[in-house]
Amino acid sequence: NLEKDLAFTHIKRPAKSILCMPIKYKGKIQAFLYLENHVLLNAFSNVQLELLRLISTQMAVTLENTEIYNELDNRVKERTISLDQMNVSLKDANERLAINEQERKKLLQSISHELRSPLTSTLGYIESILDGVVQNPEQQIYYLQRSRERLIALNRLIQDLFELAKLEAGRMDFSFTKVSVHEFFEEFAYRFEANVLGANLSYSASGNLQPNQYVLIDLLRMEQVISNFISNAIKYTEKGRISLKMSVEDGELVCIVEDSGIGIPEHELPFIFDSYFRASNSNVLNSHGIGLAICKEIITQHHGKIYADSKETGSRFYFTLPIQSI
Ligand code: ADP
């Protein structure tokens, strides 16, 4: 049976003496050491038996070593791969840190300039009145009015800076309410019409929205986003029109503000929502490049997305908000 089991098919003649020793490893027989003699009966003595036992024990140890070695080898390979991956991500993180550091420096420079310049000019106006350099009462009033304007703008800039910092740090509280998309449109469709008409531009609002579809929004923050889109549109549109359009597409509310203004160079569009980014078209005083970054943070907190595209005929700023399942 043993011969059959072990499939020693090459053996033609039956053996006269057989010595067979199993090689056991992990409680299982892994192989056999097999000796046979075709000439003598009782050919094997205790000496050969002991020798075979020794060899089979050694082979079992070798098997164990091989497995441990393979396992170690695999582990070393796995660790090397994960170390390589860690190295790559550390390199990326370092590069990002270096870029952030450069941006932080640029940003500090630009903020300190924007804070300093209105303060310096206001101080100049006030000192020239107090030192008696400007004595004409009309001129004094003119200087005081300019000072007030610059301080109001400075105050707004400081508020925006705080707001952006709070939003970016996730420390801004939102008060979400469920509003139907129809109500949303009604709420904002004509809210800013007067501002647009006041800038001698034409205005239109259009929307085809169902009352049974809802969005989860903070109304005040949404007003801030749409108002920012519209006031930018007014700033960068000399003549023509501004329109507000809302629709629901693929399970999302889409809100678009379109203008017929000066447009934005295509290569600058990818950066338009970055904090403190001003496109090369921006020569307007009181432009800080913070408004759109705030809008992006607000829309992101609403799980929505924000976009801008532009042609020579004007720009389109829009955001999407997920429609809520009822
Ligand atoms: P700000 O208007 O205070 O500079 P924003 O973050 O609101 O800051 O806008 C960033 C820049 O995007 C602006 O400086 C301007 O260059 C550009 N921009 C925004 N809206 C428009 C628009 N409707 N048309 C043309 N350019 C725009």
Side-chain angles (χ1 to χ4, degrees), residues 52-53 62 100 221 277 302 311:
L52 223 57
R53 207 195 303 277
T62 309
N100 282 351
R221 302 268 166 232
F277 181 81
H302 281 75
K311 295 198 179 91

Side-chain angles (χ1 to χ4, degrees), residues 122-151:
T122 314
L123 207 64
Y125 289 147
I126 294 173
E127 273 172 358
S128 56
I129 295 172
L130 288 178
D131 296 348
V133 179
V134 176
Q135 289 185 344
N136 177 336
E138 267 178 33
Q139 215 172 1
Q140 286 181 344
I141 288 180
Y142 172 82
Y143 273 29
L144 286 175
Q145 279 168 342
R146 290 287 84 79
S147 303
R148 187 175 57 188
E149 275 166 22
R150 301 222 71 181
L151 287 176

Side-chain angles (χ1 to χ4, degrees), residues 228-229 232-233 235-236 259 262-264 272 277-282 286-293 315 317:
N228 207 305
F229 279 6
N232 275 351
K235 262 202 250 177
Y236 299 99
D259 64 55
I262 55 174
I264 301 157
I272 210 77
F277 181 81
R278 278 174 287 195
S280 51
N281 63 17
S282 148
N286 292 333
S287 166
H288 307 293
I290 301 175
L292 289 178
S315 310
F317 280 82

Side-chain angles (χ1 to χ4, degrees), residues 189-200:
Y190 293 98
R191 175 83 61 99
F192 307 103
E193 183 182 23
N195 307 36
V196 178
L197 298 180
N200 284 326

